[in-house]
Structures are given as structure tokens and as C-alpha cells.
């Protein structure tokens, strides 16, 4: 049986941010607990004091703490 691909039920949307604050980006997938990799351009983001990755069921979230213009 071929594997069913994981698709976006709700893709990321542009989000306004306020410099120095936290901003949350969310997407919803068609499969619960699918592996999610967050990238900025070609660079894969890693969990750190700046980037917090959360996932619950089909919803994946990236929280960017202390947002800066470079995070756009």
C-alpha cells in the first residue's frame, strides 16, 4: 500500500510582527504528528532561545521570540 502524502490543510499566512515581541506562525497538516521542518530560505531552523517549535496533532507552530526585521 503506497504511503499517503502529508498535505497542508491550512498553509502559513503572512503575519505582522512587532519588533522585540514574539510572533507565532501556524500551519495545519492532513496527518497528525507528521515530521515538520521549519526553514528560512535554505537554512533549517533549530530549536533555541529564539525559535520554539511546537506540534500538537495536525497543528505545527513556530514561535519566534524577540522578533527582528531579519526574521521576515
Amino acid at each position: 500500500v503506497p504511503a499517503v502524502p502529508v498535505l497542508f490543510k491550512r498553509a502559513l499566512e503572512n503575519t505582522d510582527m512587532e519588533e522585540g515581541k514574539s510572533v507565532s506562525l501556524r500551519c495545519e497538516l492532513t496527518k497528525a504528528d507528521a515530521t515538520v521542518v521549519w526553514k528560512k530560505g535554505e537554512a533549517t531552523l533549530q530549536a533555541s532561545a529564539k525559535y520554539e517549535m511546537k506540534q500538537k496533532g495536525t497543528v505545527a507552530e513556530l514561535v519566534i521570540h524577540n522578533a527582528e526585521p531579519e526574521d521576515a
Side-chain angles (χ1 to χ4, degrees):
V1 176
V4 177
V6 178
L7 304 172
F8 287 107
K9 283 174 74 174
R10 188 173 53 116
L12 287 176
E13 298 176 359
N14 285 334
T15 303
D16 291 331
M17 65 174 199
E18 189 175 334
E19 192 170 348
K21 302 286 185 178
S22 294
V23 64
S24 176
L25 304 172
R26 287 186 190 89
C27 62
E28 188 174 356
L29 310 166
T30 56
K31 184 177 178 184
D33 301 319
T35 300
V36 173
V37 176
W38 292 93
K39 292 186 167 202
K40 180 181 178 196
E42 296 298 314
T44 300
L45 301 178
Q46 302 294 328
S48 64
K50 175 127 184 122
Y51 301 115
E52 181 181 358
M53 289 87 169
K54 302 177 184 180
Q55 192 165 351
K56 185 172 183 180
T58 59
V59 177
E61 179 180 15
L62 170 66
V63 180
I64 302 173
H65 298 285
N66 194 25
E68 303 170 289
E70 298 81 38
D71 294 316

